[in-house]
Amino acid sequence: MQGLRGLLLLALCLLKLHSCRALPNLQSERRSEPPGPGSPSDPLLDYTGLDEGLQNGTGPVCPPCEKDLCPENRGCRAGLVLDSCGCCMECGNLEGQACDPGERSVYYGLCGTGLRCRADPRQAGQGGGVEDEDEQVCVCEQQEAVCGSDGVTYMNTCQFREAAFSKPGLRTEGEGPCKTVPIIKVPPQSQVNGTGSSLVFLCEVFAFPMALVEWRKEGRDIILPGDDPHISVQSRGGPLKFELSSWLQIEGAEPGDSGTYRCIARNNLGSASASAALGVLGAAELSSYLANRVPEMEQLTDAVDYDQDFY
C-alpha cells in the first residue's frame, strides 16, 4: 500500500511540480493527527489549501521555494517575471494583454519588460462606466516609434523588442519611423447610389515624412473640389500615428458625378494612388440595378451557415 502511495505522489508531482514540492511535509504533518470529520480519506488528495488563496483573491498558498525545481521557460517574447509565489520565473504578459496591478501575480499575471499595467487606452473616451476602471492591460512605457533594420516601423519599443525575439539580427536604425513613400492603408471603395444622395470616399495613408493627399476625377485636370460647391474634401491626422485620413464628399449627387475618383498621396520620397468608381443612377435605373443585385445577395446569404456555432 505504501508503494502505491509513493507512485501516486510521484505522478501528482510530475503534473503539478511546483505545487507538490511541499506535499511530503504536508503528508507527514497530517499523519500525526487523526483525520477529522469530513476530511479526505487520503491526505495526498487534499489540494483545497492550494486553491484557497485564489478564491479569496490573495493569491495561492505557496509551498517552500525550491528554485532547482522551477520549470524552464522558453519563448518568452516579453521577458521573464516572478510567478504568483515569488519563487520561479514565468513568461511576462505582452502588450495589450490583461494584467495584475502591483508587484505580485494573482490572476492575469505580470507585464513583461518595459510594460506597465494600466487602464486600457483603447477604452478611453468610449464612455465606459465604473466597471471599465478595473480593466487594465499591459501598456508600453516608451511609445516612441522605432525604425528597424528590416525597414519596418515599429510604433513603440515593446513592439520592436517582441519582433527582435524572433529576428535575432534585428536592430534599430535610429529613433523615429522609417522614411517611406506613402502607403495607402485603406483605399476608397467603389459605390452605386441614386440621384440626390450624399456620398463619401475615404482614403487612409501612412507615410514618413507625412504625405499630402489630393483627389482627382479622371477626365478632369483640376484638383478637387475646385470651384464645385457640392463637392468637399477634408483631411486630418490618424487614426494611427503617421497616418492621414482624407474624405471626398459629394452632396446631392447627380448622374454627371459618375466616374472614377482617385486618391493621390505624395511626399518627398514618392507617391501612391488608389481609385474607385462611382455610379449615380436615376430612380428607375437604381431600382433595376438593385433588382439585379438580389440574386447575388441571396447567393451570399445561402453561403453562410447560420446554424454553425461560432462560440
Side-chain angles (χ1 to χ4, degrees):
M1 186 65 176
Q2 295 295 329
L4 179 59
R5 287 190 175 183
L7 290 176
L8 177 60
L9 173 62
L10 178 60
L12 291 173
C13 287
L14 289 176
L15 292 174
K16 294 185 66 175
L17 180 61
H18 185 57
S19 299
C20 291
R21 288 176 290 177
L23 285 180
N25 296 333
L26 183 65
Q27 179 188 15
S28 60
E29 292 173 1
R30 294 188 176 181
R31 279 180 178 172
S32 63
E33 301 178 1
S39 299
S41 59
D42 191 337
L44 289 179
L45 301 181
D46 184 9
Y47 291 98
T48 56
L50 297 176
D51 295 328
E52 181 179 332
L54 290 178
Q55 295 174 1
N56 60 31
T58 61
V61 178
C62 298
C65 179
E66 299 180 30
K67 291 186 177 294
D68 56 330
L69 296 180
C70 292
E72 182 180 359
N73 294 290
R74 296 181 180 179
C76 299
R77 292 176 291 167
L80 297 171
V81 296
L82 284 173
D83 65 5
S84 57
C85 288
C87 176
C88 299
M89 303 301 289
E90 63 184 7
C91 292
N93 291 356
L94 297 169
E95 182 180 21
Q97 289 184 327
C99 54
D100 292 319
E103 299 181 356
R104 185 176 182 185
S105 173
V106 178
Y107 186 77
Y108 296 107
L110 300 179
C111 297
T113 305
L115 296 156
R116 288 294 177 267
C117 194
R118 296 174 181 168
D120 191 344
R122 295 169 298 183
Q123 301 295 331
Q126 295 185 8
V130 177
E131 314 65 48
D132 297 332
E133 295 179 0
D134 297 331
E135 296 180 3
Q136 296 187 324
V137 298
C138 295
V139 178
C140 190
E141 292 185 299
Q142 299 181 357
Q143 289 292 328
E144 295 79 11
V146 176
C147 180
S149 56
D150 54 356
V152 175
T153 295
Y154 298 93
M155 291 306 175
N156 57 50
T157 55
C158 299
Q159 292 182 12
F160 173 81
R161 189 180 297 113
E162 185 177 340
F165 182 86
S166 56
K167 300 178 181 179
L170 184 64
R171 63 185 187 279
T172 60
E173 294 291 341
E175 296 181 357
C178 303
K179 293 185 177 181
T180 178
V181 299
I183 300 172
I184 297 181
K185 305 295 287 291
V186 178
Q189 301 296 312
S190 298
Q191 53 187 299
V192 175
N193 216 319
T195 302
S197 58
S198 295
L199 308 168
V200 177
F201 288 111
L202 168 65
C203 187
E204 291 182 5
V205 180
F206 173 87
F208 187 78
M210 289 290 289
L212 295 175
V213 176
E214 63 184 35
W215 291 87
R216 293 178 179 269
K217 182 181 179 183
E218 290 189 3
R220 301 179 64 183
D221 295 332
I222 65 171
I223 299 175
L224 298 174
D227 58 357
D228 195 327
H230 79 302
I231 297 179
S232 60
V233 172
Q234 297 181 5
S235 299
R236 72 176 185 185
L240 301 179
K241 290 187 294 186
F242 313 111
E243 287 188 358
L244 181 72
S245 296
S246 183
W247 296 267
L248 171 71
Q249 184 171 2
I250 302 176
E251 293 281 357
E254 304 170 352
D257 293 319
S258 299
T260 300
Y261 292 81
R262 184 174 297 274
C263 164
I264 305 170
R266 292 191 177 92
N267 65 6
N268 59 3
L269 298 177
S271 64
S273 66
S275 60
L278 170 63
V280 180
L281 307 178
E285 294 175 308
L286 182 61
S287 177
S288 176
Y289 171 81
L290 294 176
N292 292 331
R293 294 279 294 180
V294 168
E296 298 179 19
M297 298 303 297
E298 289 178 346
Q299 290 178 3
L300 291 175
T301 303
D302 293 340
V304 177
D305 184 6
Y306 290 100
D307 294 330
Q308 183 176 354
D309 187 2
F310 291 97
Y311 300 95

